[in-house]
């Protein structure tokens, strides 16, 4: 069994690891070294972090729902690209399977729309 088909993949991983290590080392030497209290704190989108939600009520999860919705549609695109590339060699089964997949994602989208998940108030 020959390992020659895996040489490009191993080379790509080695190149990626080398670039990551080089970037970390270069940032350490090239970046400014002036630390203060504000730079060492966690970034909280410009507002002061508080242990309790503002107003004492439940924490709003609207941002996380929007992020999850983005991930769902991003994954849909990941599945659509290979199908679009091999569309001409797929039989009718591939077309029907993709129609069912798009239908299922559309049902999830319509549900989220009706529930108000796309309204940013």
């Amino acid at each position: 069994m020959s390992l020659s088909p895996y040489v490009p993949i191993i080379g790509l991983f080695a190149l990626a690891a080398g670039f990551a290590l080089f970037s970390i080392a270069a940032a350490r030497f090239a970046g400014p070294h002036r630390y203060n209290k504000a730079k060492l704190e966690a970034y909280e989108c410009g507002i002061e972090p508080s242990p309790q939600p503002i107003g004492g009520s439940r924490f709003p999860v609207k941002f996380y729902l929007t992020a999850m919705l983005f991930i769902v549609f991003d994954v849909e695109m990941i599945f659509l690209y290979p199908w679009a590339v091999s569309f001409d060699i797929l039989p009718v089964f591939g077309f029907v399977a993709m129609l069912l997949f798009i239908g299922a994602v559309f049902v999830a989208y319509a549900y989220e729309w009706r529930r108000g998940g796309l309204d940013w108030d």
Side-chain angles (χ1 to χ4, degrees), residues 45-119:
C45 301
I47 59 175
E48 292 294 323
S50 62
Q52 295 290 330
I54 297 173
S57 63
R58 294 172 52 182
F59 187 76
V61 295
K62 203 78 148 146
F63 171 77
Y64 301 107
L65 291 176
T66 305
M68 289 173 58
L69 194 63
F70 170 76
I71 290 171
V72 165
F73 289 109
D74 194 40
V75 168
E76 177 192 11
M77 288 296 115
I78 289 171
F79 283 120
L80 281 176
Y81 279 129
W83 175 77
V85 168
S86 61
F87 177 72
D88 57 344
I89 60 173
L90 289 175
V92 176
F93 174 76
F95 182 69
V96 172
M98 192 49 64
L99 281 179
L100 290 174
F101 175 71
I102 291 173
V105 171
F106 179 74
V107 167
Y109 175 72
Y111 174 77
E112 188 70 26
W113 190 354
R114 298 274 293 161
R115 296 275 300 175
L118 300 177
D119 297 332

Side-chain angles (χ1 to χ4, degrees), residues 27-35 39:
R28 185 76 176 139
F29 292 115
H33 298 289
R34 293 181 300 270
Y35 299 110
K39 285 187 179 183

